[in-house]
Amino acid sequence: MAKLVECVPNFSEGNNKEVIDALGQAISRTPGCVLLDVDAGASTNRTVYTFVGSPEAVVEGALSAARTAGQLIDMSRHTGEHPRMGALDVCPFVPVMNVSMEECVTCAHVFGQRLAAELGVPVYLYGEAARQESRKALPTIRAGEYEGLPEKLAKPEWAPDFGPPTFVPRWGATVTGARTFLIAYNINLLCTKELAHRIALNIREQGRGTDQPGRLKRVQGIGWYLEEENIAQVSTNLLDFETTPLHVVYEEVCQDAKALNLPVVGSQLVGLVPKKAMLDTAEFYIKKEKLFILEEEQKIRLVVSRLGLDSLSPFHPQERIIEYLVQAGETDRGLVAKPLSTFVRAVGGRSAAPGGGSVSAAAAALGAALGCMVGLMSYGKRQFEELDPIMRKLIPPFHQAMDELVAMVDADSRAFSSYMEAMKLPKNTPEERERRMVAMQQGLKTAVRVPCALAEKVSGLWPALKELARHCNLACKSDIQVRPWAGALEADGLTTFPCMVSHPVLTSGLHLSSCASQTGRWFPPTNFFAVCNPCRRADLHQPLPEFSHLCGKAMNGSQCWSHILKIPRWKALCATVSQRVGVLQHKGLPCCRTVCECSGSAGEPLASLFS
């Protein structure tokens, strides 16, 4: 999949629309860059641009905008509420998808070096890209701001990482680096700038100094006044929203404001926000207020309402949540975005993927959806009012599994492709053959983890399904009966893939092929054959000991199972992946060496068998 880096340059211009537009055009016209958001502030006299692209593309986009800024911004005339030290004040690179932090550090180094060389300006590195521990924090580098740069640059300890240690009046200095996702979040208050700053000092990690630290970890804060809105704000940067979530910052500010008899009138997100940050906040208020909300869209609405995110301007999730923007820009959104008829034809095509794993995940998702539907049909109705507490507990697992299983449709196809790519590697020399074998083994493990997770997910739903069957609306009886039938296919993802690959010990004997009797009970298949072949691995010339005496023999299903279930570790794995619908069903198991060598016990999480 494509690598995606987010770049968030902050330019010291927030009033001149021509300059703001010119900077945006410089970014959007760069091949491979997608401009996602432009957030201009009049009082701060600062505009934050957010764009994404490949590592190489975002560096070019940032340089293009910096060249434009060098022509249009004069820092000697700049004033604003926000701390700043340069025309391009700060330019962080953030990993978004399939990109490591090390790659973003490289982006920052390349960008800083080229910016200093082209424009002849001083550039500092911060965050994960910093070369000195003392320069990791942005406020430390920016202390003294633009006005203090001449004195700062004269000190040897503040020599820039790139460029000359000389003051460039028109530009100032730039800070670039790599970091995790930062959320710029402001809480609105009807008060003075001084009172807002007092609250900011209380909550930010730095506090009022080393002897008076603030309450919230990984949070920066300052108080200022927005003349254009006639309100004050506690302006914060959440450096790690999982350490200190959005709702914690909001609630802490509300607590201090209440103590000072100050009204809080909503809040504001600057730039983009990760979906998880919004959903974590939704879960907080759902739990706090004992609400029952399932749909992602409704959870986002709840957050917008509780935090007052639309108090200054409309909050459009599709334009502000980064995952939604990235998804909207994707040309290939995978199998799940295709019409059902297209998906079916893709499965029926002359290719190994999508195959049994993707079909199993789709069937499992439909099974979970049926469970969710039955629960919702039994919830919120007067005649079933006494069932509401039970349904509130039972419905969420099915709803969550529904989304997770849908994602596995494409995940399985991608995982299988990694193995197929490894098979195409050259094998002319011993070294090439060894590299190919290592890649194949890694691809095989990757491929097995997806159907393994599928089986675990399905297994976890059975207790809820049984309880749902005892309490649900009787009118939905036929729908809930379909759900266990779907289970026959759901575990296929665990067994189908390893039997399809070219690295088996048993090539086809354990392939799932379940059939049902008229009683609705599931029984082991009896119409398939197992043919054992020697393992093809160079370091394993003989088949696994458990199956050595079966090589070349054909057996019916009953004979195959009779042998397999005599082996404790295979029997344990069978029991782990099996489900009960009236009677214990043994559906099959993987037959690659990775799994053969595991020694899991009954009830052990399947993921541990492949670690």
Side-chain angles (χ1 to χ4, degrees):
M1 294 183 66
K3 294 183 176 184
L4 206 62
V5 174
E6 179 191 56
C7 184
V8 193
N10 289 223
F11 289 94
S12 296
E13 177 56 69
N15 294 289
N16 190 322
K17 190 174 184 305
E18 290 183 1
V19 175
I20 294 170
D21 290 344
L23 293 170
Q25 289 171 7
I27 294 169
S28 59
R29 289 175 180 172
T30 303
C33 290
V34 179
L35 183 60
L36 301 178
D37 187 66
V38 179
D39 197 301
S43 294
T44 57
N45 200 8
R46 183 184 189 85
T47 300
V48 179
Y49 298 83
T50 305
F51 65 99
V52 294
S54 67
E56 298 79 14
V58 293
V59 170
E60 294 300 329
L63 284 169
S64 178
R67 296 184 195 107
T68 303
Q71 299 171 3
L72 301 178
I73 297 176
D74 184 355
M75 282 301 294
S76 64
R77 301 178 181 179
H78 184 273
T79 59
E81 290 282 350
H82 199 289
R84 79 284 181 266
M85 64 189 295
L88 169 50
D89 186 51
V90 61
C91 185
F93 296 88
V94 183
V96 175
M97 188 167 63
N98 303 317
V99 174
S100 66
M101 182 61 74
E102 288 72 22
E103 289 175 283
C104 288
V105 168
T106 300
C107 288
H109 287 179
V110 171
F111 170 75
Q113 189 173 32
R114 290 181 60 185
L115 178 68
E118 288 188 32
L119 301 188
V121 298
V123 178
Y124 292 93
L125 295 171
Y126 87 109
E128 296 298 323
R131 291 172 172 171
Q132 302 176 38
E133 189 66 29
S134 60
R135 296 187 182 184
K136 282 213 164 188
L138 178 59
T140 303
I141 300 175
R142 202 159 49 190
E145 300 187 39
Y146 170 81
E147 288 75 12
L149 270 177
E151 181 182 349
K152 193 171 197 171
L153 287 165
K155 299 177 180 179
E157 64 269 24
W158 280 108
D161 292 285
F162 301 110
T166 54
F167 180 56
V168 183
R170 187 178 176 87
W171 182 270
T174 292
V175 186
T176 186
R179 59 165 171 77
T180 56
F181 208 102
L182 177 149
I183 300 177
Y185 179 54
N186 306 329
I187 297 90
N188 308 327
L189 298 166
L190 300 182
C191 66
T192 63
K193 170 183 175 179
E194 289 74 19
L195 284 170
H197 190 60
R198 178 176 169 183
I199 296 175
L201 294 176
N202 291 340
I203 66 167
R204 70 183 189 182
E205 184 174 22
Q206 181 185 1
R208 291 173 170 80
T210 54
D211 57 335
Q212 288 184 284
R215 300 197 299 269
L216 302 183
K217 299 295 183 183
R218 305 288 288 157
V219 173
Q220 300 169 337
I222 189 174
W224 60 38
Y225 201 84
L226 296 182
E227 294 290 349
E228 65 270 24
E229 300 291 348
N230 196 25
I231 59 168
Q233 285 187 324
V234 175
S235 177
T236 67
N237 284 336
L238 280 63
L239 304 181
D240 184 348
F241 70 86
E242 297 197 60
T243 299
T244 302
L246 282 171
H247 60 268
V248 171
V249 177
Y250 182 76
E251 294 291 328
E252 288 292 318
V253 170
C254 287
Q255 175 184 309
D256 283 20
K258 183 177 181 181
L260 295 171
N261 295 317
L262 302 176
V264 176
V265 288
S267 61
Q268 173 193 32
L269 280 166
V270 180
L272 304 182
V273 61
K275 181 171 66 175
K276 187 177 187 301
M278 298 290 283
L279 295 180
D280 287 349
T281 298
E283 292 304 324
F284 168 78
Y285 287 107
I286 287 171
K287 184 176 180 180
K288 178 183 178 182
E289 301 174 25
K290 299 179 180 178
L291 305 175
F292 184 65
I293 302 175
L294 296 172
E295 298 296 332
E296 186 173 284
E297 179 185 357
Q298 294 178 355
K299 290 181 179 181
I300 300 297
R301 285 186 182 180
L302 176 70
V303 175
V304 173
S305 171
R306 293 297 182 269
L307 301 186
L309 294 177
D310 53 0
S311 57
L312 298 182
S313 60
F315 184 90
H316 300 297
Q318 298 300 324
E319 299 173 3
R320 303 300 298 281
I321 296 176
I322 189 165
E323 287 85 351
Y324 295 165
L325 281 165
V326 171
Q327 188 179 47
E330 289 179 344
T331 54
D332 182 8
R333 296 174 59 185
L335 294 168
V336 296
K338 300 181 186 297
L340 178 60
S341 59
T342 305
F343 173 62
V344 171
R345 289 183 178 277
V347 173
R350 194 167 181 263
S351 64
S358 295
V359 172
S360 300
L366 289 171
L370 279 172
C372 188
M373 182 203 78
V374 171
L376 289 171
M377 292 292 287
S378 310
Y379 172 77
K381 296 187 177 182
R382 189 173 184 85
Q383 63 267 42
F384 305 124
E385 195 169 351
E386 72 280 0
L387 296 178
D388 281 3
I390 297 173
M391 293 304 152
R392 280 188 171 217
K393 181 184 73 171
L394 294 178
I395 296 171
F398 290 105
H399 191 275
Q400 180 181 350
M402 185 171 63
D403 293 334
E404 292 176 358
L405 291 165
V406 164
M408 289 184 188
V409 173
D410 282 300
D412 183 84
S413 182
R414 289 194 297 267
F416 184 81
S417 297
S418 68
Y419 178 82
M420 298 302 291
E421 288 300 316
M423 289 186 65
K424 297 176 184 177
L425 293 175
K427 49 182 177 179
N428 299 317
T429 66
E431 292 77 15
E432 288 180 345
R433 285 193 290 273
E434 180 61 27
R435 281 195 296 269
R436 179 175 178 269
M437 183 56 64
V438 170
M440 286 173 62
Q441 286 294 298
Q442 187 57 47
L444 190 59
K445 290 180 181 180
T446 300
V448 170
R449 286 192 188 102
V450 178
C452 178
L454 168 64
E456 275 198 308
K457 175 57 64 176
V458 172
S459 175
L461 291 177
W462 281 92
L465 180 65
K466 291 178 181 179
E467 191 171 354
L468 185 63
R470 286 194 292 268
H471 298 287
C472 72
N473 182 348
L474 289 177
C476 300
K477 181 180 178 181
S478 61
D479 296 297
I480 203 170
Q481 284 178 328
V482 173
R483 175 63 181 82
W485 281 67
L489 189 56
E490 288 158 13
D492 188 20
L494 183 64
T495 58
T496 301
F497 175 84
C499 302
M500 294 169 64
V501 300
S502 299
H503 184 54
V505 176
L506 299 175
T507 56
S508 60
L510 303 178
H511 196 285
L512 175 64
S513 177
S514 295
C515 58
S517 70
Q518 292 183 353
T519 64
R521 294 182 175 184
W522 295 93
F523 296 94
T526 57
N527 59 344
F528 68 95
F529 292 87
V531 180
C532 299
N533 293 325
C535 184
R536 295 189 179 96
R537 279 193 55 153
D539 61 340
L540 188 65
H541 300 288
Q542 299 298 323
L544 294 176
E546 294 99 327
F547 300 98
S548 59
H549 66 288
L550 299 178
C551 278
K553 295 182 179 179
M555 300 174 291
N556 63 31
S558 298
Q559 292 170 325
C560 184
W561 281 117
S562 175
H563 176 79
I564 289 170
L565 296 181
K566 291 177 183 176
I567 305 170
R569 58 181 175 178
W570 286 73
K571 183 177 181 179
L573 184 55
C574 286
T576 304
V577 302
S578 297
Q579 306 300 332
R580 288 183 176 274
V581 184
V583 296
L584 183 66
Q585 49 176 314
H586 293 290
K587 293 184 178 179
L589 59 166
C591 39
C592 61
R593 181 177 182 235
T594 304
V595 180
C596 291
E597 292 184 343
C598 76
S599 56
S601 59
E604 184 178 357
L606 286 173
S608 66
L609 300 177
F610 302 97
S611 59

